[in-house]
Amino acid sequence: MLGLLWIGCAVRRHRVRRAVQRAFVFMRKLGMQLWWHAVLAKRLRVPRLARGGFIDGTTMASDVFISYATVDREFANDVCAQLETERLKCWIAPRDMMPGEDWSQALVRAIDSVSVVVVVVSSETSRSRHVPREVEQADRKGKVIIPIHVEDCDLSGQLAYYLDGIHAIRGQSRKDSVAELAQAIHTTL
């Protein structure tokens, strides 16, 4: 009799764990931030959740990858926040990287998982080492590239090759620019 009671408790615990796992996956799909998931998962002995991913460690696909020069980080973060209020899941470094993860592998994996790449363009963009590589990677993978200009500037080198022939969002207030960007992304998706 005692053995059956023990088996019944184990089955219930397993069902609770599976239900919690499903709830975590569902909430991550909705884009909810789960600051408390680590404590609850540890208490229920649920496998560790990967940041921005599923229980099995695979990455959750995003809609938009945001490429920017370090100098333009504030503008890029504003764009990301406003796009996420429009229910567009954004991938932006370093926020969505795992601690200790290789930078180049994370960027390539993120570009593979998105449909649209937004490039924040300023006078510093051409001097960046990573932005031209990210744009080249996006072009090679056939992603939709949408440049948004922080300031009016001329592009040079590799960025000029990839971005000069693409209609860019420029010359408006920041709020209007991001609203136009969100509309373009929704149309693309």
Side-chain angles (χ1 to χ4, degrees), residues 122-136:
S122 72
S123 57
E124 295 295 319
T125 307
S126 294
R127 287 178 265 219
S128 171
R129 285 184 15 213
H130 292 286
V131 174
R133 292 176 186 165
E134 293 164 4
V135 172
E136 177 190 5

Side-chain angles (χ1 to χ4, degrees), residues 65 91 93 102-112 130 134:
F65 177 90
W91 195 100
D102 181 57
W103 192 273
S104 58
Q105 287 179 353
L107 294 175
V108 170
R109 195 175 313 113
I111 291 170
D112 286 344
H130 292 286
E134 293 164 4

Side-chain angles (χ1 to χ4, degrees), residues 22-38:
R22 285 191 205 108
F24 283 149
V25 170
F26 177 72
M27 286 187 265
R28 290 304 296 172
K29 283 182 180 177
L30 293 176
M32 294 180 180
Q33 295 297 318
L34 303 177
W35 57 269
W36 49 269
H37 78 273

